[in-house]
């Protein structure tokens, strides 16, 4: 694996991985404004609700993404101005141009063309791939170049599909609309330290727990239980890096029943204990 880097101007990476052809990162939840002209393809997927705005010669003025877990694809060789005014994590992939050429070539029998700009393409696969890549990068045990290249190819294939014809919506649970998802995620944030009840959340939004869980997973790419665990562990990582609170105090703050419970959850997701994580990142 090569040492990964974000394109200049984007927020720092909270997790990243790279191969010779693909660099992937989850950016810190910070606003940003960046102008760049890259020799590599760029894919971005917002992991939260915000307004990701693009300005480029081949786009409408101020074209923007306001929904989470939809895809933006920018090809090589043109100046791009990208703005995000809210603190939202993004999945960011910088992909060598020859990899796109190879993916297009492998699909040539289906008359698929190399795409130009794509902004806001939605498909049920995209949340799942974005969340899988995020988990892959957060877990130090998963530095697997084959996996990273394969997931990047899936997102490139969706960029090609977006440039052609939009797929029909497959049968299955209806994704949450943007304003409803924003309300649900805000409610989870508010209750994170108290302990979030899926049944209570579902009831608050007038759904059964099973309907809520199915629709959440198709919208966000993971179950609500998994999302809550990852949000808690993300906050635990921040506190371990930035505060002097003990691990027991952090566990109590985040609603865990004990330090052992936090340690078990943290190690399951991150592959190391909170104390080892703190030593590595202080």
């Amino acid at each position: 694996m090569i040492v990964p880097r974000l394109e200049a101007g984007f927020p720092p990476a909270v997790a990243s991985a790279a191969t010779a052809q693909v660099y992937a990162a989850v950016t810190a939840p910070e606003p940003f404004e960046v102008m760049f002209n890259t020799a590599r393809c760029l894919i971005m997927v917002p992991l939260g609700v915000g307004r990701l705005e693009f300005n480029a010669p081949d786009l409408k003025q101020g074209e923007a993404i306001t929904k989470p877990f939809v895809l933006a694809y920018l090809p090589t060789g043109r100046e791009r101005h990208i703005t995000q005014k809210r603190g939202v994590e993004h999945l960011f992939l910088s992909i060598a141009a020859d990899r796109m050429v190879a993916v297009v070539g492998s699909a040539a029998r289906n008359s698929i063309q190399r795409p130009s700009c794509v902004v806001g393409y939605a498909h049920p696969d995209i949340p799942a791939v974005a969340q899988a890549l995020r988990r892959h990068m957060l877990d130090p045990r998963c530095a697997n170049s084959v996996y990273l290249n394969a997931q990047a190819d899936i997102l490139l294939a969706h960029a090609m599909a977006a440039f052609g014809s939009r797929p029909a919506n497959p049968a299955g649970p209806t994704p949450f609309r943007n304003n409803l998802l924003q309300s649900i995620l805000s409610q989870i944030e508010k209750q994170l330290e108290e302990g979030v009840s899926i049944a209570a959340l579902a009831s608050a939004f007038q759904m059964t727990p099973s309907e809520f869980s199915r629709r959440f997973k198709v919208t966000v790419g993971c179950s609500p239980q998994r999302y809550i665990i990852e949000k808690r562990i993300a906050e635990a990582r921040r506190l371990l890096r930035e505060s002097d609170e003990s691990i027991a105090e952090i566990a109590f703050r985040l609603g865990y029943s004990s330090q052992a419970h936090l340690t078990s959850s943290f190690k399951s997701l991150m592959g190391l204990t909170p104390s080892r994580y703190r030593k590595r990142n202080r």
Side-chain angles (χ1 to χ4, degrees):
M1 301 287 279
I2 64 173
V3 177
R5 282 192 325 164
L6 265 171
E7 297 282 345
F10 284 98
V14 296
S16 61
T19 69
Q21 291 190 309
V22 177
Y23 167 63
V26 175
T27 64
E30 300 173 7
F32 62 86
E33 182 172 358
V34 61
M35 179 78 76
F36 69 99
N37 188 332
T38 179
R40 294 165 68 93
C41 309
L42 174 65
I43 287 177
M44 293 184 73
V45 179
L47 303 180
V49 178
R51 181 179 175 83
L52 185 63
E53 190 167 302
F54 299 85
N55 283 292
D58 47 348
L59 286 172
K60 296 176 185 176
Q61 185 70 20
E63 192 157 358
I65 292 175
T66 57
K67 295 180 179 180
F69 304 104
V70 297
L71 180 142
Y73 167 83
L74 301 175
T76 60
R78 296 219 180 171
E79 190 173 75
R80 313 291 179 193
H81 181 209
I82 306 178
T83 306
Q84 173 62 265
K85 294 184 179 178
R86 296 191 62 183
V88 175
E89 284 187 349
H90 293 81
L91 176 67
F92 172 101
L93 285 92
S94 175
I95 303 168
D98 58 350
R99 190 159 195 92
M100 168 53 86
V101 172
V103 172
V104 172
S106 68
R109 62 182 180 276
N110 295 323
S111 300
I112 294 176
Q113 299 177 359
R114 185 173 179 174
S116 59
C117 287
V118 173
V119 174
Y121 181 69
H123 188 281
D125 287 351
I126 293 170
V129 173
Q131 291 285 17
L133 270 171
R134 182 179 183 276
R135 286 194 292 272
H136 176 84
M137 288 183 282
L138 284 169
D139 189 337
R141 299 167 295 182
C142 291
N144 187 312
S145 59
V146 174
Y147 180 88
L148 179 57
N149 285 339
Q151 298 295 76
D153 288 351
I154 291 171
L155 293 177
L156 286 173
H158 278 292
M160 291 188 292
F163 187 62
S165 58
R166 290 180 178 267
N169 289 330
T174 305
F176 294 133
R177 290 184 179 274
N178 200 41
N179 58 349
L180 178 56
L181 178 62
Q182 187 168 7
S183 297
I184 290 168
L185 298 184
S186 296
Q187 195 67 21
I188 290 174
E189 290 280 357
K190 290 176 185 174
Q191 298 178 12
L192 205 59
E193 296 182 6
E194 307 164 9
V196 185
S197 163
I198 304 302
L201 266 178
S203 177
F205 292 98
Q206 300 181 325
M207 286 175 262
T208 64
S210 58
E211 179 193 8
F212 178 85
S213 294
R214 288 195 303 271
R215 292 183 66 187
F216 190 99
K217 186 169 185 178
V218 80
T219 307
V220 176
C222 65
S223 69
Q225 293 89 342
R226 178 78 189 204
Y227 180 85
I228 291 162
I229 290 169
E230 290 188 358
K231 291 296 287 186
R232 279 181 166 169
I233 297 303
E235 180 62 9
R237 293 200 317 270
R238 185 188 71 79
L239 292 169
L240 288 165
R241 290 193 309 269
E242 300 175 8
S243 81
D244 293 321
E245 292 183 57
S246 70
I247 295 171
E249 288 170 330
I250 292 171
F252 179 76
R253 176 198 279 243
L254 296 178
Y256 285 94
S257 58
S258 65
Q259 178 176 332
H261 187 193
L262 169 61
T263 298
S264 174
S265 183
F266 195 99
K267 188 173 182 181
S268 175
L269 187 65
M270 298 298 300
L272 72 171
T273 63
S275 58
R276 286 191 64 194
Y277 179 88
R278 173 170 264 174
K279 287 176 182 176
R280 287 185 182 183
N281 292 276
R282 291 295 290 269

